Amino acid sequence: MRQIIAMGGGGFSMEPDNLLLDKYILAQSRKDLPKVCFVPTASGDQTNYIERFYKAFNTLPCQPSHLSLFEPEFTELESYILEQDVIYVGGGNTRNMLVLWKEWGLDHYLEKAYKNGVILAGLSAGSICWFEEGLTDPLNAPLFKLDCLGFLKGSNCPHYDEENKRKPSYHKLIKEGKIKEGYAVDDGVALHFINETLSSPVSSRPIAKAYFVKCIDSEVIENEVNTIYLGNL
């Protein structure tokens, strides 16, 4: 079974006192102590980000580790990736992350891991990357379309409710046919895909939402995706 859990935002780095999404991701492994590897490439392997990951995941039933491409400690990258149960990708600069991944061959190892049943998860850059295209926002620059790994069809726009440039930019690009139709996701929402099909969107916030956004007859349409609030379970 192939699984991707793509978060618009949230998890330990944005909600350190609300780990509902992180617990949900671990639960999908169906293991008592799953191996979860944090990949903080998009942040430049920022030390503080890695420390926050361990602070959160050391409180959860799992075996946490992290993968640094800036200060690598692994001996063989492919085998290290394939032995994980969950790959959890952090936020940051998506374009820089993808360039580094391709340089290391990590994009191919992640695809192999995905096909072998390793759960792929992440937020922001770690959500966009799994789709064909994503809406990304370099610092102090306009938002633009970015070609991504293409494990999932269509496009992805995270932080839909929190960043005021997101919605108008995504709508404009879809209307102009410059980005594929796809999913716009609020912070606190995770899209859970099983075998490339959206299964059960879940949220860590009661009113957080997700939408499938498309263009029909030059009009942009938002169809809300039913989301399950994990706090009620």
Side-chain angles (χ1 to χ4, degrees), residues 1-81:
M1 185 168 67
R2 300 179 301 279
Q3 298 187 76
I4 292 177
I5 303 173
M7 296 182 281
F12 75 92
S13 62
M14 295 183 68
E15 301 179 289
D17 297 320
N18 179 5
L19 300 181
L20 287 173
L21 291 179
D22 301 319
K23 292 175 181 178
Y24 178 83
I25 291 168
L26 293 177
Q28 306 318 303
S29 72
R30 305 290 192 269
K31 293 188 176 181
D32 293 335
L33 289 173
K35 294 180 179 179
V36 54
C37 176
F38 180 49
V39 183
T41 316
S43 70
D45 290 348
Q46 190 178 85
T47 300
N48 177 264
Y49 203 4
I50 296 169
E51 290 173 349
R52 283 185 287 150
F53 164 74
Y54 282 111
K55 182 178 180 180
F57 278 78
N58 280 332
T59 70
L60 301 176
C62 65
Q63 301 176 64
S65 65
H66 76 278
L67 172 68
S68 173
L69 297 181
F70 291 85
E71 297 182 10
E73 296 182 0
F74 52 84
T75 54
E76 211 287 312
L77 181 56
E78 181 177 4
S79 60
Y80 179 75
I81 291 296

Side-chain angles (χ1 to χ4, degrees), residues 55-213:
K55 182 178 180 180
F57 278 78
N58 280 332
T59 70
L60 301 176
C62 65
Q63 301 176 64
S65 65
H66 76 278
L67 172 68
S68 173
L69 297 181
F70 291 85
E71 297 182 10
E73 296 182 0
F74 52 84
T75 54
E76 211 287 312
L77 181 56
E78 181 177 4
S79 60
Y80 179 75
I81 291 296
L82 292 175
E83 71 183 14
Q84 304 299 322
D85 298 304
V86 178
I87 301 292
Y88 190 128
V89 180
N93 189 307
T94 315
R95 171 177 277 178
N96 288 353
M97 177 182 77
L98 291 173
V99 168
L100 274 173
W101 282 5
K102 289 173 183 177
E103 177 68 24
W104 283 83
L106 184 55
D107 53 335
H108 297 299
Y109 303 150
L110 288 170
E111 183 175 17
K112 187 173 181 179
Y114 174 55
K115 292 177 178 178
N116 285 357
V118 177
I119 296 169
L120 305 181
L123 75 157
S124 195
S127 173
I128 292 170
C129 64
W130 313 121
F131 292 80
E132 291 179 295
E133 299 173 349
L135 186 67
T136 190
D137 60 335
L139 190 64
N140 299 321
L143 279 76
F144 63 91
K145 182 204 82 169
L146 181 69
D147 292 329
C148 301
L149 297 178
F151 299 172
L152 298 172
K153 296 294 185 182
S155 67
N156 179 229
C157 175
H159 308 304
Y160 198 56
D161 60 333
E162 293 292 332
E163 299 179 4
N164 57 19
K165 294 188 297 182
R166 289 275 176 180
K167 185 170 183 175
S169 296
Y170 195 44
H171 282 205
K172 183 175 185 290
L173 288 171
I174 287 178
K175 186 173 184 177
E176 294 174 349
K178 294 180 178 178
I179 194 170
K180 297 177 185 291
E181 61 184 27
Y183 293 94
V185 188
D186 288 352
D187 287 352
V189 173
L191 302 176
H192 186 178
F193 292 86
I194 298 177
N195 298 333
E196 297 80 55
T197 299
L198 184 60
S199 173
S200 54
V202 297
S203 72
S204 60
R205 305 178 185 181
I207 60 172
K209 298 179 180 180
Y211 308 87
F212 188 80
V213 185

Side-chain angles (χ1 to χ4, degrees), residues 171 174-176 214-221:
H171 282 205
I174 287 178
K175 186 173 184 177
E176 294 174 349
K214 58 186 177 181
C215 185
I216 300 177
D217 297 329
S218 298
E219 182 182 358
V220 176
I221 307 295

